[in-house]
Amino acid sequence: MFKAFCDEKRLRILELLRSGEKCACVLIEQLDMPQSSLSYHMKILCESGIVDSRPEGKWIYYTICEKGGGEAMALLKELLTLEAITEESNCCL
Amino acid sequence: MFKAFCDEKRLRILELLRSGEKCACVLIEQLDMPQSSLSYHMKILCESGIVDSRPEGKWIYYTICEKGGGEAMALLKELLTLEAITEESNCCL
DNA sequence: ATATCATATCAAGTATTTTGGATTTGAGGT
DNA sequence: ACCTCAAATCCAAAATACTTGATATGATAT
């Protein structure tokens, strides 16, 4: 899931999506990347749950997914929070 | 910074650190990885600000860094939060 | 049904990251 | 000073991720 945030292009895509729903053509134009490249990154973003896609007519619209974002936040928080049971298993002293 | 969370080994290191400060020898043993490999990952974790290190005697002790963790959380939150000014720049319709 | 257009997939190349043995560095102890 | 041991660095190999043109898929429209 965190892989979604580990690429410059994907961060820029998220940055663009922060201002609202965008269709693929806008992203391709603004990021100046070939269509296959955008598709590759959108797949990673969608599969990680961070972004939602919505087909409408010929195009696909992308938005940041609140649910997926919440899960990422929760996961990160958990990873960084010390466990309550701090049994100091010291060694090497 | 998010690269810190994009490797299985590093996630396992964080998992171990959640139960409190650990010295390198414990991590090497528990994760069954060569010393050079641990050192490589600890460098990434420390440079990203997620983990703090503290030398004591011959050993180095590692802990999850509250400050760095907070920054990561804040950054992630910002990335995933829609901008207030939702000027719907629709196209392609 | 055929043509068209947007997206997905493929494949082959390039770039980046990770691995782990060997060596170096650096602090501690004698 | 010298020895010892832990951590950092080096380096080459392996693994993983990204790029991109070409092709396939799938939906829409005529």
Side-chain angles (χ1 to χ4, degrees):
Chain A
M1 176 171 226
F2 292 117
K3 292 240 172 84
F5 305 102
C6 287
D7 180 88
E8 201 60 41
K9 299 266 176 62
R10 291 196 287 274
L11 290 181
R12 292 182 61 202
I13 291 169
L14 286 174
E15 197 61 42
L16 288 172
L17 292 183
R18 287 187 62 213
S19 69
E21 191 175 57
K22 294 277 178 298
C23 91
C25 59
V26 173
L27 297 174
I28 287 174
E29 191 191 333
Q30 300 236 4
L31 298 171
D32 190 35
M33 51 165 52
Q35 181 269 325
S36 61
S37 187
L38 181 77
S39 183
Y40 169 75
H41 289 297
M42 293 324 283
K43 187 176 182 182
I44 290 173
L45 286 170
C46 289
E47 285 183 347
S48 73
I50 301 300
V51 167
D52 257 346
S53 67
R54 175 177 70 87
E56 179 172 318
K58 290 201 219 172
W59 294 276
I60 295 185
Y61 288 76
Y62 297 101
T63 45
I64 290 176
C65 174
E66 304 269 342
K67 187 161 168 292
E71 283 168 17
M73 291 283 293
L75 223 147
L76 183 59
K77 187 167 192 174
E78 190 187 328
L79 270 174
L80 296 173
T81 305
L82 296 180
E83 280 165 353
I85 329 101
T86 43
E87 65 173 76
E88 288 293 331
S89 59
N90 274 348
C91 71
C92 312
L93 288 171
Chain B
M1 175 171 226
F2 291 117
K3 294 239 171 85
F5 305 101
C6 287
D7 179 89
E8 201 60 42
K9 299 268 175 63
R10 290 196 286 274
L11 291 181
R12 291 182 60 202
I13 291 169
L14 287 173
E15 197 60 43
L16 288 173
L17 292 182
R18 287 186 63 213
S19 68
E21 192 176 56
K22 292 277 177 300
C23 91
C25 61
V26 173
L27 298 174
I28 288 174
E29 191 191 332
Q30 300 236 3
L31 298 170
D32 190 33
M33 52 165 51
Q35 181 268 326
S36 63
S37 187
L38 181 77
S39 182
Y40 168 75
H41 289 298
M42 293 323 284
K43 187 176 182 183
I44 291 174
L45 286 170
C46 289
E47 284 183 348
S48 73
I50 301 300
V51 168
D52 257 346
S53 66
R54 174 178 71 85
E56 179 173 317
K58 289 199 216 172
W59 293 277
I60 296 185
Y61 287 77
Y62 298 99
T63 45
I64 290 176
C65 174
E66 304 269 342
K67 186 161 169 290
E71 283 168 15
M73 291 283 293
L75 222 150
L76 184 60
K77 187 167 192 171
E78 190 187 332
L79 270 174
L80 295 173
T81 306
L82 295 178
E83 278 165 354
I85 329 101
T86 43
E87 63 174 77
E88 287 292 331
S89 58
N90 275 348
C91 72
C92 315
L93 289 170

